[in-house]
Amino acid sequence: MEKYGYRFSFGPWNIHEGADPFGPPVRPSLTFDEKLKVFNDLGFDAVQFHDDDAVPDLDDLSASEIAKQARAMRRRLEDHGLVAEFVAPRLWEHPMTIDGAFTSNDPKAREYAIERSKKAADIGRELGTNLMVLWLAREGTYMREAKDAVQATHRLLEAVNTLLEYDPQLRIAIEPKPNEPMDLAYIPTIGHALALGFQASDPSRVGALVETAHAVLAGLDPADEMSFALAFDKLWSVHLNDQNGLKFDQDRSFGSVDLRRAFNQVRVLDENRFYEKGMVGLDVKALRTQPAELATKHLRNSLHMFLRLVEVVRSLDRERINELIAARDYEELDWLILSALTGG
Ligand code: 3MF
Ligand code: MG
């Protein structure tokens, strides 16, 4: 498979049992080793980790036990010819994070969030990656008057600074999302993420991860969100998927809802040589209707869709496009793109 210099990753949570808020699992769990085989079979290069994907039950373990288990995980990756792309602290499941992690009103909860994130940094170091993704899942409110948004912003900045100081090699990519699980999140867009990063104690070590569905949920265009970060060399990873309108976060296969929107994401990534900068991460879920033995096709489809769109992007007649832009004939440009997308 020609990958045009791109490397691809996904997280073990993207092979899942199909539970949703209204119904139980519909597929058996795969073991971690079975999942690693899927990475190999489908041609992926790297694994994205939540801290406890790498070291289960880390809250109950000593620092040395965490390091030992993380090293064992690294060997398992190596056995499969894989590397870790990033580690993300899972700050949304523990009872301490019910009302937020870094922005909780409870100082003990805030302390827990910092300690947990330091452990995630330790795990990343052992796995051989200095990239931490911060999806700030519960940093926001269900009840707007329940927290002070100015103070919350300062608390987020303080948390980022504490982690940068804790590990001088660490790079933090903030993954914004406007809602879900919170009603309203504090860092809903790339603009918010980068503003926070530029205020940090070492701005060179704070960047961003753009997820397609999260941008759509914020009413924004994912390709433009990526471009904004690319303009400042701050796009350190992506979570490609798709999203059908303003509803729950669907994590549909890349390009399956809006092909042109997918094309434009690939276009800005390819035009800005993203293959030299970061990995193409997928954050896609199999439809609940997929039987167990067919529940990895969303990953296959997304990767292949990306590669097909790279081919479309690279096949475009640049000279013709520039002529059309100069002539301000955007309808003809529209037709040129639609023709390319329909094989014409
Ligand atoms: C939620 C997400 C998350 C993050 C992941 C890594 C479960 O909408 O997208 O996936 O991507 O936690 O940061
Ligand atoms: Mg994501």
Side-chain angles (χ1 to χ4, degrees), residues 13 50 86 88 92 133 135 175 177 211 214 239 249 283:
W13 61 89
H50 292 133
F86 66 69
W92 54 92
V133 167
W135 172 45
E175 178 180 352
K177 183 176 182 184
E211 171 160 330
H214 297 181
H239 268 174
D249 183 11
D283 199 359

